Amino acid sequence: MHPLVTRLDLQPHPEGGWFRQTWASPETVVLPDGRVRPTATLIYFWLPAGESSAWHRVRSDEVWLAHTGTVTLELGGSGPEPAAVTTRVVGPEADAQAVVAADVWQRTVPAVDDALVSCLVSPGFDFADFELL
């Protein structure tokens, strides 16, 4: 097991990589369909070198915050499947933060080194709002 996984108490993420929720706002919001979510949540997300996450999308906006390493976010629009891919590079030597809008297909590809980022999701993340391609 990688020392960072142990130190940060990370668990495997269904899209690939490793994660742990570190914060959920005590304030809540009622979504248009009546479901209740925290106003925001925050996770660590670690992606080892050579791995990528699977295409997925979330019903909330995500703010990516770089800690170590660099990742490329591949964004595939909001159609029924990813298309017309654009990229955003997030890391200490690139943009230190990036926003992925709600319902946009995305996947994450690391550079040659492991990458640790945080993702702030608003309204707060729930796996019921997560779609894996």
Side-chain angles (χ1 to χ4, degrees):
M1 186 79 50
H2 190 280
L4 189 65
V5 169
T6 303
R7 183 169 61 85
L8 296 179
D9 192 26
L10 304 177
Q11 303 299 316
H13 197 292
E15 75 189 47
W18 297 76
F19 83 108
R20 177 172 61 91
Q21 183 174 299
T22 57
W23 175 77
S25 173
E27 300 298 322
T28 59
V29 62
V30 178
L31 302 179
D33 63 8
R35 294 176 300 148
V36 177
R37 294 281 183 271
T39 55
T41 55
L42 183 65
I43 67 166
Y44 278 129
F45 182 69
W46 179 65
L47 197 58
E51 292 188 21
S52 63
S53 70
W55 282 106
H56 65 284
R57 60 182 169 183
V58 178
R59 290 187 190 157
S60 299
D61 292 337
E62 290 185 61
V63 179
W64 286 68
L65 308 162
H67 298 298
T68 63
T70 300
V71 296
T72 298
L73 295 173
E74 293 184 342
L75 307 175
S78 57
E81 60 186 41
V85 174
T86 61
T87 60
R88 290 284 310 268
V89 178
V90 181
E93 302 300 319
D95 290 334
Q97 53 185 292
V99 175
V100 177
D103 295 315
V104 169
W105 288 106
Q106 61 179 294
R107 74 177 186 160
T108 311
V109 180
V112 295
D113 297 318
D114 298 345
L116 178 65
V117 299
S118 287
C119 292
L120 178 75
V121 179
S122 179
F125 181 82
D126 187 295
F127 275 105
D129 299 332
F130 175 80
E131 182 180 359
L132 195 58
L133 186 64

